[in-house]
Amino acid sequence: MASSIFFSLQFLCFALTIIGTRAQGGTWEVIVQNAGIAAMHAAVTRYNNVVLLDRTDIGASNLSLPVINGVQQCRNDSKDLTLKTDCSAHSALLDLKTNEIRPLTIQTDTWCSSGQFLPDGTLLQSGGFNDGNTKFRTFTPCEDTSSCDWVELQNILLSQGRWYATNQILPDGSVIIVGGVGANSVEYYPPRIGGAVNFSFLSNVSDNEGDNLYPFVHLLPNGNLFIFADKQSVLYDYVNNVIIKNLPLIGGGPRNYPSAGSSVMLALEGNYSTATIVICGGAQYDAFKRRKVTILAQGNCGRIVATNPNPAWEMEDMPFVRNMGDMVMLPTGDVTIINGAQEGSQGFGLANNPCLNPVLYQPDEPAGSRFTILNPTTIPRVYHSTANLLPDGRILLAGSNTHAVYTWVQPFPTELRIEAFSPDYLSANKSNLRPVIAMAPQSMQYGSTLYNVYVTVPSNTTGNWEVNFASAPYTTHSYSQGQRLVKMNIAGPVSESNGEYSIVFQAPPSAEVAPPGYYMMFVVNQGVPSVAVWVSIS
């Protein structure tokens, strides 16, 4: 009986795949055959390269640290659980112009750590395991990719160890660090007087699976935080350390680690007073606790307008059940749900039946018509995989390691290949609509200031213009920390002269709407985005 049910499920997924490819396909490409490390964490920098990170205590990776002046570079760590002297890299930099990989040196263990970009474009990385538990690290990206590397901060430490925590940049440019194993508190970078602040919500929702880890944290445009863990969520005034409102329970089972749902805040637009949160997928409650590798994942999404006076969840079914899926905000405001498995939970060897098909979620469509199945990959991306939006509109897929060390056993060997998925808006039959940014501001200030961006369009076929700013989040464990899309208000009609279009748009009104930092600025013409340029907002 069990085998017949399994066969039916496999057939159902196959049938849905056929239907989906007739709708909106997308294309896949392997851009790096061997990155040398499995990317547990990933972030895109303003110089169009990608920082990749794995843990350090797994023994040697497949990427060697460099030889400098004839001397092999090595990491010497007396506290490492596997290799006290390790001459392999556990972080790397992918150059998107050449697809070349350069090893980086990380000194302490970043296993299940957290991160966020600071306003100046520096990547802040916090916590981890073992000797990395209270560490801060920074990576300041550079145009010359051969000259930047990780710096371990020696005199600034987390006041409480953070393992499986979440980071979110705040309107003043500081970063709040939420939760972690045994850390039912919040703290900040730069550190504040008093250190960690108790946050009882996390301990109240904790269960014997630990489904309060990697909580979903979104900065709302009113300045408060939406924080979700397990099945519960609150609106949190972090300034006064007060829970403003307890929101209703979401339908279905748990959604956070190790149950592995994902979450986004939909695009902010209009007068920026409305914020809608969507949470999709996850494992069944007892899948992790009982190590049920073949129990079906959850198949629904919950959607809530967090800024409503009386918010309520609207539930809808996805085309597939899925856990460990990554929700990636596209430049258009749509969402791609990608990676993951259809059975089991997060953890080493605890998932089965990879979900190879991404799906497109179009939030402006009516309920029941929001999902489109996309073309499948051939590479399973399950535990410890990542998905990041790139400035050219593609999605970068890296990692997947269902084992405690690097191993090549089936069915899910450690994955060192890196892929790029091109959504349908990059298809050849839409290339004539794709805008090219000719001139754009490099920096912006908040308020009513108007800015101009100039674009050309190959076909001169234009309409439905948008100017959208996408943040560069820190992605790990099926959640992109700090992910945000803000749609600018276009201030008047788009003018055209000598084949060049001028679009006047208004800056974001406040740092609550768009926290300070570097954003990918996309111009969208009839649903087709340009290649982005990087713009700083301060």
Side-chain angles (χ1 to χ4, degrees), residues 306-346:
T307 48
N308 270 4
N310 297 296
W313 290 99
E314 172 194 355
M315 305 303 295
E316 54 190 322
D317 290 332
M318 298 186 290
F320 302 110
V321 298
R322 189 188 303 254
N323 63 58
M324 293 183 285
D326 287 274
M327 298 181 72
V328 180
M329 290 292 303
L330 298 179
T332 57
D334 294 336
V335 181
T336 295
I337 309 173
I338 200 165
N339 294 339
Q342 297 176 85
E343 298 169 339
S345 65
Q346 280 181 317

mmCIF file of all heavy atoms in Angstrom, residues 306-346:
data_model
loop_
_atom_site.group_PDB
_atom_site.id
_atom_site.type_symbol
_atom_site.label_atom_id
_atom_site.label_comp_id
_atom_site.label_asym_id
_atom_site.label_seq_id
_atom_site.Cartn_x
_atom_site.Cartn_y
_atom_site.Cartn_z
ATOM 1 N N ALA A 306 -0.224 42.560 7.821
ATOM 2 C CA ALA A 306 0.223 42.775 9.200
ATOM 3 C C ALA A 306 -0.126 44.156 9.721
ATOM 4 O O ALA A 306 -0.166 44.370 10.930
ATOM 5 C CB ALA A 306 1.731 42.543 9.287
ATOM 6 N N THR A 307 -0.351 45.098 8.834
ATOM 7 C CA THR A 307 -0.659 46.471 9.240
ATOM 8 C C THR A 307 -2.143 46.733 9.411
ATOM 9 O O THR A 307 -2.536 47.853 9.759
ATOM 10 C CB THR A 307 -0.074 47.447 8.205
ATOM 11 O OG1 THR A 307 -0.440 47.008 6.885
ATOM 12 C CG2 THR A 307 1.441 47.509 8.310
ATOM 13 N N ASN A 308 -2.990 45.735 9.143
ATOM 14 C CA ASN A 308 -4.426 45.909 9.355
ATOM 15 C C ASN A 308 -4.750 45.970 10.852
ATOM 16 O O ASN A 308 -4.085 45.309 11.654
ATOM 17 C CB ASN A 308 -5.211 44.759 8.725
ATOM 18 C CG ASN A 308 -5.599 45.051 7.286
ATOM 19 O OD1 ASN A 308 -5.223 46.084 6.741
ATOM 20 N ND2 ASN A 308 -6.307 44.127 6.669
ATOM 21 N N PRO A 309 -5.785 46.703 11.235
ATOM 22 C CA PRO A 309 -6.168 46.732 12.659
ATOM 23 C C PRO A 309 -6.551 45.358 13.183
ATOM 24 O O PRO A 309 -6.278 45.030 14.339
ATOM 25 C CB PRO A 309 -7.360 47.695 12.685
ATOM 26 C CG PRO A 309 -7.220 48.529 11.454
ATOM 27 C CD PRO A 309 -6.582 47.648 10.429
ATOM 28 N N ASN A 310 -7.192 44.548 12.348
ATOM 29 C CA ASN A 310 -7.603 43.203 12.752
ATOM 30 C C ASN A 310 -7.126 42.188 11.709
ATOM 31 O O ASN A 310 -7.912 41.666 10.910
ATOM 32 C CB ASN A 310 -9.126 43.125 12.908
ATOM 33 C CG ASN A 310 -9.630 44.042 14.000
ATOM 34 O OD1 ASN A 310 -9.303 43.858 15.168
ATOM 35 N ND2 ASN A 310 -10.414 45.037 13.610
ATOM 36 N N PRO A 311 -5.840 41.906 11.707
ATOM 37 C CA PRO A 311 -5.295 41.046 10.652
ATOM 38 C C PRO A 311 -5.755 39.603 10.800
ATOM 39 O O PRO A 311 -5.988 39.109 11.915
ATOM 40 C CB PRO A 311 -3.785 41.172 10.859
ATOM 41 C CG PRO A 311 -3.617 41.567 12.288
ATOM 42 C CD PRO A 311 -4.815 42.384 12.634
ATOM 43 N N ALA A 312 -5.888 38.917 9.671
ATOM 44 C CA ALA A 312 -6.279 37.512 9.660
ATOM 45 C C ALA A 312 -5.534 36.811 8.533
ATOM 46 O O ALA A 312 -5.205 37.421 7.516
ATOM 47 C CB ALA A 312 -7.794 37.376 9.466
ATOM 48 N N TRP A 313 -5.266 35.526 8.727
ATOM 49 C CA TRP A 313 -4.564 34.746 7.711
ATOM 50 C C TRP A 313 -5.520 34.292 6.612
ATOM 51 O O TRP A 313 -6.614 33.810 6.890
ATOM 52 C CB TRP A 313 -3.916 33.515 8.345
ATOM 53 C CG TRP A 313 -2.757 33.841 9.237
ATOM 54 C CD1 TRP A 313 -2.769 33.934 10.605
ATOM 55 C CD2 TRP A 313 -1.424 34.118 8.826
ATOM 56 N NE1 TRP A 313 -1.512 34.256 11.062
ATOM 57 C CE2 TRP A 313 -0.657 34.371 9.995
ATOM 58 C CE3 TRP A 313 -0.780 34.182 7.585
ATOM 59 C CZ2 TRP A 313 0.692 34.673 9.966
ATOM 60 C CZ3 TRP A 313 0.578 34.486 7.544
ATOM 61 C CH2 TRP A 313 1.297 34.727 8.721
ATOM 62 N N GLU A 314 -5.092 34.460 5.384
ATOM 63 C CA GLU A 314 -5.776 33.884 4.225
ATOM 64 C C GLU A 314 -4.925 32.710 3.760
ATOM 65 O O GLU A 314 -3.754 32.874 3.440
ATOM 66 C CB GLU A 314 -5.894 34.925 3.108
ATOM 67 C CG GLU A 314 -6.424 34.380 1.800
ATOM 68 C CD GLU A 314 -6.223 35.344 0.633
ATOM 69 O OE1 GLU A 314 -5.752 36.478 0.859
ATOM 70 O OE2 GLU A 314 -6.523 34.945 -0.511
ATOM 71 N N MET A 315 -5.493 31.517 3.728
ATOM 72 C CA MET A 315 -4.747 30.317 3.385
ATOM 73 C C MET A 315 -5.038 29.914 1.944
ATOM 74 O O MET A 315 -6.171 30.046 1.459
ATOM 75 C CB MET A 315 -5.102 29.166 4.328
ATOM 76 C CG MET A 315 -4.926 29.478 5.815
ATOM 77 S SD MET A 315 -3.249 30.012 6.269
ATOM 78 C CE MET A 315 -2.320 28.513 5.898
ATOM 79 N N GLU A 316 -4.020 29.416 1.262
ATOM 80 C CA GLU A 316 -4.195 28.906 -0.095
ATOM 81 C C GLU A 316 -3.188 27.795 -0.338
ATOM 82 O O GLU A 316 -2.114 27.755 0.270
ATOM 83 C CB GLU A 316 -4.040 30.023 -1.135
ATOM 84 C CG GLU A 316 -2.756 30.820 -1.037
ATOM 85 C CD GLU A 316 -2.789 32.055 -1.924
ATOM 86 O OE1 GLU A 316 -3.324 31.992 -3.038
ATOM 87 O OE2 GLU A 316 -2.274 33.099 -1.479
ATOM 88 N N ASP A 317 -3.535 26.870 -1.230
ATOM 89 C CA ASP A 317 -2.700 25.716 -1.506
ATOM 90 C C ASP A 317 -1.703 25.994 -2.620
ATOM 91 O O ASP A 317 -2.029 26.650 -3.629
ATOM 92 C CB ASP A 317 -3.565 24.508 -1.903
ATOM 93 C CG ASP A 317 -4.359 23.968 -0.731
ATOM 94 O OD1 ASP A 317 -3.894 24.114 0.416
ATOM 95 O OD2 ASP A 317 -5.462 23.417 -0.966
ATOM 96 N N MET A 318 -0.493 25.478 -2.444
ATOM 97 C CA MET A 318 0.521 25.514 -3.491
ATOM 98 C C MET A 318 0.327 24.331 -4.432
ATOM 99 O O MET A 318 -0.351 23.354 -4.091
ATOM 100 C CB MET A 318 1.920 25.425 -2.868
ATOM 101 C CG MET A 318 2.290 26.560 -1.939
ATOM 102 S SD MET A 318 4.037 26.469 -1.395
ATOM 103 C CE MET A 318 3.985 25.031 -0.303
ATOM 104 N N PRO A 319 0.932 24.375 -5.614
ATOM 105 C CA PRO A 319 0.852 23.215 -6.508
ATOM 106 C C PRO A 319 1.543 21.979 -5.949
ATOM 107 O O PRO A 319 1.180 20.852 -6.285
ATOM 108 C CB PRO A 319 1.558 23.692 -7.783
ATOM 109 C CG PRO A 319 1.506 25.175 -7.725
ATOM 110 C CD PRO A 319 1.564 25.531 -6.281
ATOM 111 N N PHE A 320 2.584 22.178 -5.115
ATOM 112 C CA PHE A 320 3.311 21.071 -4.510
ATOM 113 C C PHE A 320 3.368 21.264 -3.005
ATOM 114 O O PHE A 320 3.397 22.401 -2.525
ATOM 115 C CB PHE A 320 4.765 21.018 -5.011
ATOM 116 C CG PHE A 320 4.920 20.889 -6.488
ATOM 117 C CD1 PHE A 320 5.413 21.948 -7.230
ATOM 118 C CD2 PHE A 320 4.611 19.714 -7.132
ATOM 119 C CE1 PHE A 320 5.585 21.834 -8.596
ATOM 120 C CE2 PHE A 320 4.781 19.585 -8.499
ATOM 121 C CZ PHE A 320 5.258 20.657 -9.242
ATOM 122 N N VAL A 321 3.418 20.164 -2.265
ATOM 123 C CA VAL A 321 3.873 20.262 -0.884
ATOM 124 C C VAL A 321 5.368 20.557 -0.933
ATOM 125 O O VAL A 321 6.075 20.149 -1.863
ATOM 126 C CB VAL A 321 3.583 18.962 -0.107
ATOM 127 C CG1 VAL A 321 2.094 18.701 -0.045
ATOM 128 C CG2 VAL A 321 4.311 17.772 -0.714
ATOM 129 N N ARG A 322 5.876 21.298 0.077
ATOM 130 C CA ARG A 322 7.297 21.671 0.007
ATOM 131 C C ARG A 322 7.793 22.112 1.382
ATOM 132 O O ARG A 322 7.129 22.885 2.076
ATOM 133 C CB ARG A 322 7.486 22.822 -0.994
ATOM 134 C CG ARG A 322 8.952 23.142 -1.305
ATOM 135 C CD ARG A 322 9.086 24.404 -2.154
ATOM 136 N NE ARG A 322 8.362 24.367 -3.404
ATOM 137 C CZ ARG A 322 8.919 24.207 -4.606
ATOM 138 N NH1 ARG A 322 10.217 24.054 -4.719
ATOM 139 N NH2 ARG A 322 8.172 24.226 -5.687
ATOM 140 N N ASN A 323 8.946 21.609 1.765
ATOM 141 C CA ASN A 323 9.696 22.209 2.853
ATOM 142 C C ASN A 323 11.084 22.590 2.334
ATOM 143 O O ASN A 323 11.509 22.133 1.284
ATOM 144 C CB ASN A 323 9.785 21.287 4.084
ATOM 145 C CG ASN A 323 10.534 20.000 3.820
ATOM 146 O OD1 ASN A 323 11.690 20.012 3.417
ATOM 147 N ND2 ASN A 323 9.879 18.864 4.055
ATOM 148 N N MET A 324 11.747 23.448 3.045
ATOM 149 C CA MET A 324 13.065 23.977 2.651
ATOM 150 C C MET A 324 13.029 24.743 1.331
ATOM 151 O O MET A 324 14.039 24.865 0.648
ATOM 152 C CB MET A 324 14.124 22.867 2.597
ATOM 153 C CG MET A 324 14.432 22.278 3.959
ATOM 154 S SD MET A 324 15.745 21.038 3.953
ATOM 155 C CE MET A 324 14.882 19.633 3.239
ATOM 156 N N GLY A 325 11.865 25.248 0.949
ATOM 157 C CA GLY A 325 11.791 26.095 -0.233
ATOM 158 C C GLY A 325 12.263 27.507 0.086
ATOM 159 O O GLY A 325 12.009 28.023 1.181
ATOM 160 N N ASP A 326 12.952 28.143 -0.846
ATOM 161 C CA ASP A 326 13.371 29.537 -0.702
ATOM 162 C C ASP A 326 12.398 30.436 -1.445
ATOM 163 O O ASP A 326 12.122 30.218 -2.635
ATOM 164 C CB ASP A 326 14.777 29.739 -1.279
ATOM 165 C CG ASP A 326 15.850 29.150 -0.403
ATOM 166 O OD1 ASP A 326 16.295 29.847 0.515
ATOM 167 O OD2 ASP A 326 16.251 27.990 -0.636
ATOM 168 N N MET A 327 11.891 31.469 -0.772
ATOM 169 C CA MET A 327 11.018 32.448 -1.405
ATOM 170 C C MET A 327 11.855 33.653 -1.808
ATOM 171 O O MET A 327 12.455 34.323 -0.959
ATOM 172 C CB MET A 327 9.894 32.847 -0.457
ATOM 173 C CG MET A 327 8.985 31.684 -0.074
ATOM 174 S SD MET A 327 7.631 32.143 1.031
ATOM 175 C CE MET A 327 6.568 33.066 -0.098
ATOM 176 N N VAL A 328 11.920 33.908 -3.114
ATOM 177 C CA VAL A 328 12.769 34.966 -3.665
ATOM 178 C C VAL A 328 11.887 36.036 -4.295
ATOM 179 O O VAL A 328 11.101 35.750 -5.211
ATOM 180 C CB VAL A 328 13.748 34.406 -4.719
ATOM 181 C CG1 VAL A 328 14.630 35.515 -5.279
ATOM 182 C CG2 VAL A 328 14.609 33.297 -4.110
ATOM 183 N N MET A 329 12.011 37.265 -3.798
ATOM 184 C CA MET A 329 11.297 38.389 -4.395
ATOM 185 C C MET A 329 11.919 38.741 -5.739
ATOM 186 O O MET A 329 13.129 38.993 -5.821
ATOM 187 C CB MET A 329 11.361 39.612 -3.485
ATOM 188 C CG MET A 329 10.556 39.494 -2.200
ATOM 189 S SD MET A 329 8.768 39.461 -2.469
ATOM 190 C CE MET A 329 8.501 40.994 -3.348
ATOM 191 N N LEU A 330 11.112 38.771 -6.784
ATOM 192 C CA LEU A 330 11.583 39.143 -8.117
ATOM 193 C C LEU A 330 11.467 40.645 -8.317
ATOM 194 O O LEU A 330 10.711 41.326 -7.602
ATOM 195 C CB LEU A 330 10.781 38.399 -9.178
ATOM 196 C CG LEU A 330 10.890 36.872 -9.145
ATOM 197 C CD1 LEU A 330 10.031 36.259 -10.242
ATOM 198 C CD2 LEU A 330 12.327 36.414 -9.281
ATOM 199 N N PRO A 331 12.169 41.216 -9.291
ATOM 200 C CA PRO A 331 12.104 42.671 -9.522
ATOM 201 C C PRO A 331 10.723 43.176 -9.867
ATOM 202 O O PRO A 331 10.441 44.367 -9.726
ATOM 203 C CB PRO A 331 13.070 42.880 -10.709
ATOM 204 C CG PRO A 331 13.940 41.687 -10.746
ATOM 205 C CD PRO A 331 13.129 40.555 -10.193
ATOM 206 N N THR A 332 9.843 42.278 -10.300
ATOM 207 C CA THR A 332 8.482 42.655 -10.699
ATOM 208 C C THR A 332 7.518 42.733 -9.519
ATOM 209 O O THR A 332 6.402 43.217 -9.667
ATOM 210 C CB THR A 332 7.948 41.619 -11.688
ATOM 211 O OG1 THR A 332 8.006 40.330 -11.051
ATOM 212 C CG2 THR A 332 8.777 41.593 -12.975
ATOM 213 N N GLY A 333 7.913 42.198 -8.372
ATOM 214 C CA GLY A 333 7.003 42.079 -7.231
ATOM 215 C C GLY A 333 6.408 40.696 -7.085
ATOM 216 O O GLY A 333 5.754 40.412 -6.077
ATOM 217 N N ASP A 334 6.600 39.829 -8.084
ATOM 218 C CA ASP A 334 6.198 38.437 -7.942
ATOM 219 C C ASP A 334 7.224 37.701 -7.079
ATOM 220 O O ASP A 334 8.307 38.224 -6.789
ATOM 221 C CB ASP A 334 6.078 37.760 -9.313
ATOM 222 C CG ASP A 334 4.955 38.345 -10.152
ATOM 223 O OD1 ASP A 334 4.015 38.921 -9.573
ATOM 224 O OD2 ASP A 334 5.022 38.235 -11.398
ATOM 225 N N VAL A 335 6.889 36.482 -6.691
ATOM 226 C CA VAL A 335 7.752 35.679 -5.820
ATOM 227 C C VAL A 335 7.973 34.325 -6.476
ATOM 228 O O VAL A 335 7.031 33.708 -6.972
ATOM 229 C CB VAL A 335 7.102 35.477 -4.440
ATOM 230 C CG1 VAL A 335 8.019 34.666 -3.520
ATOM 231 C CG2 VAL A 335 6.751 36.817 -3.797
ATOM 232 N N THR A 336 9.230 33.868 -6.468
ATOM 233 C CA THR A 336 9.529 32.507 -6.890
ATOM 234 C C THR A 336 9.807 31.660 -5.653
ATOM 235 O O THR A 336 10.584 32.058 -4.785
ATOM 236 C CB THR A 336 10.744 32.465 -7.832
ATOM 237 O OG1 THR A 336 10.435 33.148 -9.036
ATOM 238 C CG2 THR A 336 11.096 31.024 -8.178
ATOM 239 N N ILE A 337 9.158 30.498 -5.572
ATOM 240 C CA ILE A 337 9.429 29.532 -4.514
ATOM 241 C C ILE A 337 10.236 28.407 -5.151
ATOM 242 O O ILE A 337 9.772 27.760 -6.099
ATOM 243 C CB ILE A 337 8.136 29.003 -3.883
ATOM 244 C CG1 ILE A 337 7.225 30.161 -3.466
ATOM 245 C CG2 ILE A 337 8.452 28.118 -2.675
ATOM 246 C CD1 ILE A 337 5.852 29.726 -2.978
ATOM 247 N N ILE A 338 11.433 28.171 -4.639
ATOM 248 C CA ILE A 338 12.409 27.352 -5.344
ATOM 249 C C ILE A 338 13.208 26.549 -4.322
ATOM 250 O O ILE A 338 13.278 26.923 -3.152
ATOM 251 C CB ILE A 338 13.310 28.285 -6.193
ATOM 252 C CG1 ILE A 338 14.033 27.560 -7.309
ATOM 253 C CG2 ILE A 338 14.258 29.099 -5.327
ATOM 254 C CD1 ILE A 338 14.624 28.501 -8.372
ATOM 255 N N ASN A 339 13.780 25.427 -4.745
ATOM 256 C CA ASN A 339 14.520 24.497 -3.875
ATOM 257 C C ASN A 339 13.560 23.705 -2.991
ATOM 258 O O ASN A 339 12.361 23.930 -2.964
ATOM 259 C CB ASN A 339 15.542 25.228 -2.988
ATOM 260 C CG ASN A 339 16.677 25.871 -3.775
ATOM 261 O OD1 ASN A 339 16.954 25.480 -4.907
ATOM 262 N ND2 ASN A 339 17.333 26.847 -3.176
ATOM 263 N N GLY A 340 14.119 22.777 -2.208
ATOM 264 C CA GLY A 340 13.355 22.096 -1.190
ATOM 265 C C GLY A 340 12.975 20.662 -1.518
ATOM 266 O O GLY A 340 13.335 20.101 -2.551
ATOM 267 N N ALA A 341 12.231 20.072 -0.592
ATOM 268 C CA ALA A 341 11.816 18.674 -0.680
ATOM 269 C C ALA A 341 10.335 18.566 -0.369
ATOM 270 O O ALA A 341 9.726 19.466 0.201
ATOM 271 C CB ALA A 341 12.625 17.820 0.296
ATOM 272 N N GLN A 342 9.769 17.412 -0.749
ATOM 273 C CA GLN A 342 8.342 17.185 -0.545
ATOM 274 C C GLN A 342 8.050 16.291 0.658
ATOM 275 O O GLN A 342 6.884 16.096 1.010
ATOM 276 C CB GLN A 342 7.736 16.568 -1.806
ATOM 277 C CG GLN A 342 7.835 17.513 -3.009
ATOM 278 C CD GLN A 342 7.330 16.887 -4.291
ATOM 279 O OE1 GLN A 342 6.131 16.925 -4.560
ATOM 280 N NE2 GLN A 342 8.219 16.296 -5.064
ATOM 281 N N GLU A 343 9.104 15.778 1.283
ATOM 282 C CA GLU A 343 8.917 14.901 2.435
ATOM 283 C C GLU A 343 9.996 15.195 3.470
ATOM 284 O O GLU A 343 11.095 15.648 3.141
ATOM 285 C CB GLU A 343 9.000 13.429 2.010
ATOM 286 C CG GLU A 343 7.932 13.019 1.024
ATOM 287 C CD GLU A 343 8.189 11.647 0.419
ATOM 288 O OE1 GLU A 343 9.346 11.186 0.446
ATOM 289 O OE2 GLU A 343 7.233 11.050 -0.089
ATOM 290 N N GLY A 344 9.671 14.932 4.737
ATOM 291 C CA GLY A 344 10.648 15.040 5.803
ATOM 292 C C GLY A 344 10.743 16.437 6.371
ATOM 293 O O GLY A 344 9.782 17.204 6.387
ATOM 294 N N SER A 345 11.962 16.791 6.845
ATOM 295 C CA SER A 345 12.188 18.069 7.516
ATOM 296 C C SER A 345 13.636 18.482 7.297
ATOM 297 O O SER A 345 14.403 17.793 6.620
ATOM 298 C CB SER A 345 11.913 17.934 9.019
ATOM 299 O OG SER A 345 12.848 17.048 9.618
ATOM 300 N N GLN A 346 14.023 19.610 7.910
ATOM 301 C CA GLN A 346 15.422 20.005 7.887
ATOM 302 C C GLN A 346 16.220 19.127 8.838
ATOM 303 O O GLN A 346 15.700 18.610 9.819
ATOM 304 C CB GLN A 346 15.575 21.473 8.298
ATOM 305 C CG GLN A 346 15.251 22.430 7.164
ATOM 306 C CD GLN A 346 15.435 23.882 7.564
ATOM 307 O OE1 GLN A 346 15.034 24.263 8.647
ATOM 308 N NE2 GLN A 346 16.017 24.683 6.694
#
